[in-house]
Amino acid sequence: MEKLIFYTNSYDDIIESMSVISGCSVNSIKTWLKQSQPFINTSESDIKLNSFFKKIGIKFTGNNELYEIIKFNSCVISHLTTRIRQPDKLDIYCLIKALSMPTDISNFLASKGLIFKKTAQGLATYYENKIVDWNDYDNYSTARIKVRLRVKDKYIDNCINGFLFNDLIWKDSNVRHIKDCPEIVSDICEVLKIEEIVHEWNNISKPYVVGFLAEVKDIIFDKTRLKTTKSKIYLIYKYAIYYLVQCYHGIWNPIFDNQMVRLHDNCSVDKKSIVGFYEIEG
């Protein structure tokens, strides 16, 4: 069976994907949008999928039949990164691998005296050949560093983040700072008072948005408790409908409205899953 992909690269791609997956026409979706009203004080969870799909011409008799018609296997996630090489030439590594393996960022940091070595619990940090004991430091950045460098613990943060829609994702306040430098690097350099490393990375690297395919089952929505692929597919459709309507009426806000998602901790993305990228100008 052919694997179906929900492309969220653009407004038109979303409409085209809905058409291809569900078997309705592009014009039926555009007609529905013309008749729509902007969502005011309405969340994505309030959107009624049964009503939407009936209005765009999908015939079904119940929820199970609807699901079989509209289900898909994977969708595109938009990821913000800084690179010194074109991002489609390399895998997208989770943090632990990016810092412990020979990568562009780990090689650069090693040239500045920062080296990371893998241990059973995560990464040990060495600066100028001396191990860094993060317990010697006490501030917000240090607390975040401790969490980010773990691989086994009740609380870890070693995942690849992204957004459901490719729409000015670098303006989102949660990731705006990553446009210049990886967060973990800026945190470490701030605590160790070696901020010049951040400035140098910023000078030699470029910010990119990279689109990659992710299996629906592997996508995590932190603000929900969704576990099943079926429930995630329904939610993605709701977010997509919300996006289309708000964009059509000119009130989509990329700073607040885009849905952040992530993959499971310690998972990386093969470069074969990258479907496109572009450099962020300005």
Side-chain angles (χ1 to χ4, degrees), residues 60-72:
F60 57 95
T61 56
N63 288 337
N64 289 336
E65 185 178 352
L66 174 62
Y67 177 69
E68 291 302 315
I69 294 171
I70 67 172
K71 67 181 180 181
F72 52 90

Side-chain angles (χ1 to χ4, degrees), residues 19 26 42 44 54 57 59 95 106-107 181 228 230 255 282:
S19 170
V26 167
T42 303
E44 296 86 350
K54 284 180 179 178
K59 299 186 183 301
L95 179 67
S106 68
N107 291 338
C181 181
T228 67
K230 183 176 182 178
I255 298 176

Side-chain angles (χ1 to χ4, degrees), residues 75-77 79 83 86-94 97 101 160 210-215 218 263-264 266-277:
C75 75
V76 178
I77 303 301
H79 173 71
R83 300 292 183 96
Q86 282 193 183
D88 62 335
K89 307 298 183 185
L90 306 162
D91 294 347
I92 303 174
Y93 292 115
C94 64
K97 288 186 176 181
M101 293 173 55
I160 295 172
V210 183
F212 65 85
L213 291 179
E215 295 276 334
D218 296 328
L263 303 184
H264 293 283
N266 305 323
C267 291
S268 298
V269 175
D270 191 289
K271 62 185 177 183
K272 294 178 181 177
S273 296
I274 295 175
V275 297
F277 71 93

Side-chain angles (χ1 to χ4, degrees), residues 17 62 74 89 92 116 152 158-159 165 170 187 196 217-219 221 235 239 269:
S17 288
S74 57
K89 307 298 183 185
I92 303 174
F116 301 87
K152 293 180 181 179
N158 185 34
C159 61
F165 305 112
W170 59 92
D187 282 348
E196 65 276 6
K217 63 181 177 61
D218 296 328
I219 300 173
F221 296 85
L235 184 60
Y239 280 124
V269 175

Side-chain angles (χ1 to χ4, degrees), residues 103-234:
T103 61
D104 287 346
I105 186 67
S106 68
N107 291 338
F108 167 77
L109 293 174
S111 72
K112 305 301 174 185
L114 268 173
I115 296 175
F116 301 87
K117 295 183 180 180
K118 206 168 183 179
T119 70
Q121 291 301 316
L123 291 185
T125 308
Y126 292 81
Y127 180 56
E128 296 183 339
N129 298 317
K130 295 180 180 179
I131 193 167
V132 177
D133 185 352
W134 294 114
N135 292 318
D136 291 340
Y137 305 90
D138 184 20
N139 58 33
Y140 179 77
S141 295
T142 307
R144 190 159 55 189
I145 290 168
K146 291 178 182 179
V147 172
R148 297 298 309 278
L149 296 183
R150 294 174 188 153
V151 290
K152 293 180 181 179
D153 196 79
K154 183 177 180 181
Y155 302 105
I156 66 174
D157 183 6
N158 185 34
C159 61
I160 295 172
N161 294 304
F163 289 87
L164 205 50
F165 305 112
N166 170 32
D167 194 330
L168 303 175
I169 65 172
W170 59 92
K171 291 192 174 184
D172 187 287
S173 59
N174 292 301
V175 299
R176 191 179 298 147
H177 53 293
I178 301 175
K179 180 172 174 283
D180 299 320
C181 181
E183 182 179 70
I184 186 66
V185 175
S186 58
D187 282 348
I188 289 173
C189 292
E190 175 199 340
V191 173
L192 299 182
K193 300 188 185 306
I194 47 176
E195 286 94 339
E196 65 276 6
I197 293 177
V198 173
H199 300 311
E200 187 167 342
W201 175 258
N202 193 18
N203 288 334
I204 66 171
S205 66
K206 296 179 180 179
Y208 293 95
V209 173
V210 183
F212 65 85
L213 291 179
E215 295 276 334
V216 175
K217 63 181 177 61
D218 296 328
I219 300 173
I220 298 174
F221 296 85
D222 278 326
K223 294 181 180 180
T224 73
R225 296 182 179 180
L226 300 181
K227 300 293 184 183
T228 67
T229 297
K230 183 176 182 178
S231 62
K232 293 177 184 180
I233 286 174
Y234 283 157

